């Protein structure tokens, strides 16, 4: 169910310890610098483990961390001598005298190790390595799933960033190319209109018609460019862009913008598009309604909410908000729609953010 890795480590170490009836369980990840990092621990006593999460175990000497790292195979020590690292020495002070470890392999490479230790006066059964190997396979599967999900999330973020960059490029091309050319052409038409003789009424009307059409085309092109990537967003941030959006809205909008400062491009763009799409839906489906746009920050989460006073009862997101939900989720955020009958509609996006 895509649980965070730390939850997996805690659950696995506890399950291993209870199933194998041991006193201690440790799960560690091997690092590239010749050390291991403790990621999960469990003790049958239920108290604090002698070694804390995040402790570095330097490899070398005669301990299970080192033996598994060298051989990539299960290892057993019935007793420890003095040639151990600091972390292992700390565990020994808690009464550990023997241990068994099994390697965790992910994608064909050695990733880490699970180690179990009995009470001081107990021995580990001969099949401990085999039973422990079954757990390490489950851990490897969970880790592979986590890595795959992380890679998928990263690729979605890259796709969103690439699409936004393409929109910005198209917006610049439209502004620097077609819009500039049309503006120059409009100026020439106005100059031509000024040169038309007073008695040439029909010609004057035709020139006026061309000027009007050019003005309309320029307005449409500006609206398209603004929708691709609003200049106000790049220049002034999300507050400035939402103020401009509210001024152009087809329905009355009340703004409550409490989030100060600037945020990552993808976060600001996502907020803008969510608000723009929600306001478009209000104008389209409940044109007589009024809308309230709120943006606020709680710790490291940016909230953007659009609430209308329409009749509610919306049962589908629509293609626009569905696409935006994918954009928000690609940024590890969440998009929700609440539309009780008679209670209006609320669209809210929650996005992890850093100023």
């Amino acid at each position: 169910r895509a649980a965070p890795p730390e939850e997996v480590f805690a659950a696995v170490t506890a399950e291993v310890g209870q199933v194998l009836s041991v006193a201690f369980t440790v799960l560690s990840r091997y690092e590239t610098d010749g050390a291991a990092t403790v990621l999960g621990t469990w003790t049958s006593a239920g108290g604090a483990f002698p070694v804390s999460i995040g402790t570095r175990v330097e490899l070398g000497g005669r301990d299970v961390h080192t033996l598994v790292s060298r051989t990539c195979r299960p290892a057993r020590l019935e007793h420890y001598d003095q040639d151990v690292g600091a972390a292992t020495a700390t565990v020994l002070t808690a009464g550990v005298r023997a241990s068994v470890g099994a390697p965790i392999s992910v994608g064909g490479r050695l990733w880490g190790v699970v180690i179990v230790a009995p009470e001081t006066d107990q021995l580990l059964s001969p099949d401990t390595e085999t039973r422990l190997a079954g757990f390490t396979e489950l851990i490897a599967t969970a880790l592979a799933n986590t890595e795959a999900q992380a890679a998928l999330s990263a690729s979605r973020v890259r796709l969103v960033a690439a699409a936004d960059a393409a929109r910005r490029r198209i917006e610049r091309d439209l502004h620097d190319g077609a819009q500039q050319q049309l503006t120059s052409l409009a100026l020439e038409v106005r100059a031509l209109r000024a040169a038309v003789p007073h008695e040439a009424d029909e010609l004057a009307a035709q020139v006026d018609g061309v000027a009007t059409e050019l003005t309309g085309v320029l307005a449409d092109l500006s609206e398209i460019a603004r929708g691709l990537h609003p200049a106000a967003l790049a220049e002034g941030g999300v507050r400035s862009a939402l103020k401009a959006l509210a001024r152009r809205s087809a329905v009355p909008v009340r703004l409550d913008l409490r989030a100060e400062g600037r945020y990552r491009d993808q976060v600001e763009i996502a907020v803008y598009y969510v608000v723009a799409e929600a306001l478009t839906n209000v104008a389209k489906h409940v044109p007589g309604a009024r809308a309230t746009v709120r943006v606020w920050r709680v710790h490291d989460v940016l909230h953007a909410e659009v609430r209308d006073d329409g009749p509610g009862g919306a049962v589908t997101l629509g293609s626009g908000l569905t696409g935006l939900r994918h954009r928000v989720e690609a940024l590890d955020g969440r998009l929700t729609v609440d539309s009780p009958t008679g209670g209006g509609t609320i669209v809210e996006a929650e996005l992890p953010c850093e100023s």
Side-chain angles (χ1 to χ4, degrees):
R1 58 182 178 85
E6 57 270 19
E7 289 187 20
V8 175
F9 301 148
V12 167
T13 51
E15 194 72 12
V16 167
Q18 293 173 64
V19 170
L20 299 186
S21 299
V22 295
F24 301 102
T25 308
V26 176
L27 187 153
S28 299
R29 178 187 64 217
Y30 289 120
E31 309 295 356
T32 57
D33 60 355
T37 301
V38 176
L39 300 181
T41 62
W42 178 85
T43 173
S44 60
F49 194 82
V51 176
S52 60
I53 302 295
T55 298
R56 282 174 56 87
V57 179
E58 299 297 333
L59 302 182
R62 189 171 176 272
D63 59 61
V64 173
H65 274 100
T66 302
L67 292 175
V68 172
S69 173
R70 289 174 177 171
T71 64
C72 298
R73 297 173 62 84
R76 173 185 290 252
L77 280 178
E78 297 295 354
H79 65 277
Y80 283 88
D81 55 27
Q82 299 302 312
D83 186 16
V84 295
T88 302
T90 302
V91 175
L92 294 180
T93 62
V96 173
R97 292 296 176 265
S99 60
V100 168
I104 304 169
S105 296
V106 178
R109 73 182 192 281
L110 180 64
W111 184 91
V113 61
V114 175
I115 302 173
V116 296
E119 299 286 355
T120 304
D121 56 350
Q122 293 180 345
L123 295 176
L124 290 166
S125 63
D127 65 345
T128 300
E129 289 89 338
T130 301
R131 299 176 69 189
L132 195 55
F135 280 101
T136 61
E137 290 176 5
L138 292 175
I139 299 168
T141 300
L143 290 171
N145 289 341
T146 299
E147 291 182 355
Q149 290 161 3
L152 177 60
S153 295
S155 67
R156 291 169 69 185
V157 171
R158 287 194 296 271
L159 286 173
V160 168
D164 290 337
R167 288 189 180 94
R168 279 193 288 267
R169 186 174 62 254
I170 294 171
E171 189 273 336
R172 285 196 303 268
D173 291 345
L174 286 175
H175 180 271
D176 297 339
Q179 282 183 281
Q180 294 290 353
Q181 293 174 15
L182 285 172
T183 299
S184 298
L185 184 57
L187 291 174
E188 292 179 13
V189 170
R190 291 194 187 98
L192 177 62
R193 174 63 180 84
V196 174
H198 293 293
E199 61 274 11
D201 295 338
E202 184 177 349
L203 179 59
Q206 291 177 349
V207 175
D208 285 338
V210 172
T212 301
E213 290 183 13
L214 274 174
T215 301
V217 170
L218 267 172
D220 291 343
L221 197 58
S222 296
E223 191 66 28
I224 292 171
R226 194 160 46 233
L228 286 170
H229 190 81
L233 188 61
E235 296 168 2
V238 70
R239 289 173 61 90
S240 175
L242 293 184
K243 288 178 180 178
L245 191 63
R247 287 193 297 268
R248 299 197 310 272
S249 175
V251 297
V253 178
R254 185 177 75 87
L255 293 176
D256 181 9
L257 308 178
R258 303 181 189 180
E260 302 289 343
R262 298 297 302 269
Y263 301 89
R264 285 189 300 147
D265 284 349
Q266 288 88 350
V267 170
E268 292 191 341
I269 293 169
V271 168
Y272 177 86
Y273 284 142
V274 166
V275 173
E277 181 65 23
L279 291 178
T280 297
N281 287 343
V282 175
K284 180 179 179 181
H285 299 293
V286 280
R290 292 170 296 180
T292 298
V293 175
R294 297 177 59 227
V295 179
W296 72 100
R297 177 177 177 174
V298 179
H299 302 301
D300 287 333
V301 178
L302 190 65
H303 298 255
E305 176 190 273
V306 179
R307 179 190 299 259
D308 68 56
D309 58 3
V315 294
T316 60
L317 281 179
S319 60
L321 282 178
T322 298
L324 287 172
R325 170 174 281 177
H326 295 159
R327 171 188 284 271
V328 170
E329 290 176 350
L331 301 175
D332 293 327
R334 185 175 67 156
L335 180 70
T336 59
V337 177
D338 185 19
S339 187
T341 301
T345 299
I346 302 172
V347 177
E348 182 180 352
E350 301 175 14
L351 290 153
C353 66
E354 294 178 358
S355 296

